[in-house]
Amino acid sequence: MKCPFCHHEDTQVIDTRVSEEGDTIRRRRRCAHCDKRFTTYERIELSMPVIVKKNGSRADFDPSKLRASLMLALRKRPVSAEAVDNAIHRIEEKLLSTGAREVISGHIGELVMRELKRLDKIAYIRFASVYKSFEDVAEFQDAIAEVGRERKAPAK
């Protein structure tokens, strides 16, 4: 680690501590050349895949867009913020676990639909109507019937 004061490359670690959350390591260092001390932090850096949109353009994954989509579908529905956070976390974990560097936007849409179906059936229908571009009442009825069949199915 290069000293931020004299730019000498020989520094020593004096103290190492793990944060309370366990996701950061704090290291206290001393420069062997100028004897000044400084602190560095180590954090895990996970890179989310790049999103490939329908038109072929690419965009960085943005969890705030994911949250906005979920919140729009869940507007005025009795779903806790914690449940939404957990859904976002599950979607992010699924994206990271693929190991893919790029993911098509449609895959994220399917993951969102799956989570909404788990959280709130009405929100699922709202999202599906836009995501699947319903064009008539019959498509709404089919989606509602699908949710109804799942609800009536015996638990395994």
Side-chain angles (χ1 to χ4, degrees):
M1 176 68 61
K2 196 181 274 189
C3 174
F5 304 106
C6 70
H7 304 291
H8 193 264
E9 293 192 23
D10 187 20
T11 60
Q12 298 172 322
V13 175
I14 299 169
D15 182 42
T16 300
R17 295 186 186 179
V18 177
S19 69
E20 289 180 18
E21 297 82 27
D23 60 352
T24 306
I25 295 177
R26 176 185 175 272
R27 296 194 196 280
R28 193 74 183 135
R29 297 177 178 269
R30 184 180 66 80
C31 177
H33 186 255
C34 69
D35 207 40
K36 291 196 178 181
R37 295 174 182 224
F38 60 99
T39 303
T40 60
Y41 294 91
E42 291 180 24
R43 291 181 184 85
I44 296 172
E45 183 178 328
L46 298 173
S47 59
M48 295 298 286
V50 172
I51 309 308
V52 180
K53 298 182 178 186
K54 288 179 185 176
N55 66 6
S57 66
R58 285 161 171 70
D60 291 334
F61 175 80
D62 186 354
S64 65
K65 287 183 180 180
L66 183 60
R67 178 177 298 283
S69 293
L70 286 165
M71 294 308 292
L72 185 60
L74 290 163
R75 188 167 178 247
K76 295 186 179 183
R77 298 299 303 156
V79 177
S80 70
E82 183 180 354
V84 174
D85 290 342
N86 291 338
I88 291 169
H89 182 72
R90 283 190 297 273
I91 291 170
E92 289 176 337
E93 278 184 345
K94 285 180 180 127
L95 291 173
L96 284 170
S97 69
T98 65
R101 294 176 66 193
E102 294 184 337
V103 173
I104 58 171
S105 60
H107 180 62
I108 295 174
E110 295 297 326
L111 293 173
V112 168
M113 287 194 9
R114 189 177 309 150
E115 290 298 327
L116 284 172
K117 192 182 278 189
R118 176 188 284 172
L119 292 174
D120 186 270
K121 305 296 186 214
I122 301 299
Y124 166 76
I125 297 295
R126 285 178 180 170
F127 187 85
S129 69
V130 174
Y131 178 70
K132 293 184 176 181
S133 303
F134 289 177
E135 294 189 16
D136 60 21
V137 176
E139 291 179 272
F140 268 102
Q141 290 171 330
D142 292 344
I144 292 168
E146 175 190 336
V147 171
R149 281 191 302 271
E150 290 175 7
R151 203 169 131 198
K152 292 176 187 174
K156 293 180 181 180

